[in-house]
Amino acid sequence: MEILNYAFMQRALLAAVLVGITAPAVGIYLVQRRQALMGDGIGHVAMTGVGLGFLLTWSPVWMATLVSVLGAVFMELVRWYARTRGDIALAMLFYGGMAGGVMFINLAPGGSTTNLSSFLFGSLSTVSESDVTAICLLAAFVVLITVGLRRQLFAVSQDEEFARVTGLPVRFLNLLTAITAAVTVSVAMRVVGLLLVSALMVVPVAAAQQLTRSFAATFAIAVAIGVSATLGGTVTSYYQDVPPGATIVLLTIATFIALTLLATPLTRRRARALAAAQGGGDPAECAIPAGRKERDEVGA
């Protein structure tokens, strides 16, 4: 294939695969915790890290990782200790992150907001070898956490009180989830962009949930959708000269719409089959209420 003859496209495709794996892998926990927009907030904070990277002539990816991790930790602290006015603190953090990124990159020698655009919306030609090395290391960390601790993270995401009763370190796991999300933002910013990374965390998971409700199946399908979208968007961007981040996000949304249209008649058919089966079973006055039946089964 012609596309593989160019070193910059080889790097871009590798980065795209890693982003397609890591973003949904973290996003499934954020969706369960009803924190779907956390990635968007961290992306705003990471802009300050990118600007500092240019100002200090250090790797923007590593600096963005450091700053976004600190921002994620602050977000968790606000969630724990400042519930009443936490939204104001988070708003200042997000807006301050955007403003700091613009300010620092303009103070950098030869810097301008033009340098920031590739990090905001993604760029294929700017993925360097050092970026690929950083992305590989960060992606390995994300996969290790999201797969190795999947049972604990899922338990905390589903019910914090139950997880606490069973002896799980809830606060530590919540903090680890936030840090992993921050690292994922840094992994994805070169391909998708800081402003669009949240969509790649959430939409593949939402699309997978149209087909299944089990955690393992949702995880696998979401990652498959993420990888397919990132690769498809990257290849389309090369041949059609369109922005990679926007193309990837639009492909994920199109996948969500297609799976929703596919799943709707299947869901209705299953509901009719279930209603028919129940109609031929016990009389209504003898039927066991669903909630009570589930509790009896758990108790048994």
Side-chain angles (χ1 to χ4, degrees), residues 145-216:
I145 297 298
T146 55
V147 176
L149 297 176
R150 62 189 181 280
R151 297 182 184 275
Q152 295 88 336
L153 295 177
F154 178 74
V156 173
S157 300
Q158 284 291 100
D159 191 336
E160 287 192 7
E161 293 302 323
F162 177 78
R164 188 174 288 108
V165 170
T166 59
L168 290 176
V170 172
R171 286 196 170 181
F172 171 75
L173 291 172
N174 281 335
L175 189 62
L176 188 60
T177 302
I179 291 173
T180 307
V183 172
T184 303
V185 169
S186 301
V187 171
M189 68 179 182
R190 293 304 256 161
V191 177
V192 185
L194 293 173
L195 297 183
L196 299 174
V197 63
S198 184
L200 196 58
M201 289 182 175
V202 175
V203 179
V205 177
Q209 287 178 338
Q210 304 303 308
L211 300 179
T212 179
R213 287 294 182 267
S214 73
F215 175 79

Side-chain angles (χ1 to χ4, degrees), residues 4-27:
L4 296 178
N5 293 331
Y6 301 98
F8 79 94
M9 283 306 303
Q10 296 173 7
R11 296 192 294 267
L13 290 171
L14 176 58
V17 171
L18 295 176
V19 171
I21 295 172
T22 55
V26 175

Side-chain angles (χ1 to χ4, degrees), residues 11 14-15 18-19 22 61-62 129-143 183 186-187:
R11 296 192 294 267
L14 176 58
L18 295 176
V19 171
T22 55
V61 175
W62 287 114
E129 292 185 4
S130 61
D131 290 335
V132 171
T133 301
I135 290 171
C136 288
L137 293 174
L138 294 173
F141 169 80
V142 172
V143 172
V183 172
S186 301
V187 171

